[in-house]
């Protein structure tokens, strides 16, 4: 099933006279997903009233729906055609038509309009960003992402996935539940841990509270969890070589 979802912002949908809402579009995707029907969504950047903020909401909405049943998405710059309301009266919609040469009116061509909030160049950049982000295989949160293993994992995955690093040296902390708010992810690779030290409160906070926050996030969003156990589970061995016995 192909759906013209157009935007992730209700005001933009209203200005475009779409007669739908973001919530209705979300519900439709979820229903199709329930019955295992693949959904392809089409989005437009540069609709009347479009700004940087509303365009990013569209990109983020598509990514959110990836985990809720949207199996494919594509993004295009607004192209007004003869007979459409925007073509006949672009000023009414805050649109400036830059070219009426139909040789430019290809889906893969340069944008032919700009809005009051977005230039032609910015619309093109946002379409390219949206397509690039969607073509990646998903979003991965890596906790402890600034550590030795975390950096290596992030470097390995960054070409195929959008990476979000959780590390107290990187601005997001697993011990703070609020740092997870508003985020979505397809996978969480949980590496954050305090292996040893004299600060028992820090060990408890990171290893226990932090792990609980990760588990709650995965339960809430449906993200798959990869939990890499710390070497601390082996205690303090007398030899450098540790067997699983």
């Amino acid at each position: 099933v192909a759906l013209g979802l157009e935007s992730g912002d209700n005001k933009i949908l209203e200005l475009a006279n779409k007669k739908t809402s973001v919530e209705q579009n979300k519900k439709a995707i979820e229903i199709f997903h329930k019955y295992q029907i693949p959904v392809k969504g089409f989005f437009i950047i540069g609709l009347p009233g479009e700004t940087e903020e509303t365009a990013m909401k569209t990109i983020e909405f598509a990514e959110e729906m990836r985990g809720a049943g949207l199996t494919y998405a594509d993004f295009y710059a607004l192209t007004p055609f003869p007979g459409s309301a925007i073509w006949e009266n672009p000023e009414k919609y805050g649109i400036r038509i830059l070219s009426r040469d139909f040789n430019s009116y290809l889906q893969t061509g340069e944008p032919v309009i700009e809005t009051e909030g977005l230039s032609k160049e910015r619309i093109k950049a946002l379409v390219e960003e949206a397509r690039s982000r969607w073509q990646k295989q998903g979003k991965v949160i890596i906790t402890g992402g600034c550590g030795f293993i975390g950096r290596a994992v992030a470097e390995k995955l960054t070409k195929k996935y959008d990476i979000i690093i959780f590390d107290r040296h990187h601005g997001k902390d697993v011990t703070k539940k609020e740092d997870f708010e508003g985020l979505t992810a397809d996978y969480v690779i949980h590496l954050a841990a305090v292996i040893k030290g004299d600060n028992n409160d820090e060990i408890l906070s990171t290893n226990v509270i932090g792990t609980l926050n990760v588990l709650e996030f995965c339960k809430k969003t449906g993200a798959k969890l990869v939990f890499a156990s710390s070497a601390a589970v082996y205690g303090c061995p007398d030899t450098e070589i540790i067997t699983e016995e």
Side-chain angles (χ1 to χ4, degrees), residues 170-209:
H170 201 269
K172 290 187 180 297
D173 190 339
V174 293
T175 67
K176 298 178 180 178
K177 186 176 293 187
E178 61 269 23
D179 283 358
F180 289 91
E181 292 180 1
L183 296 180
T184 60
D186 299 283
Y187 306 94
V188 177
I189 300 177
H190 186 35
L191 303 171
V194 176
I195 297 178
K196 58 183 178 180
D198 298 326
N199 190 336
N200 291 331
D201 288 340
E202 183 181 12
I203 294 174
L204 174 65
S205 177
T206 302
N207 295 6
V208 179
I209 304 302

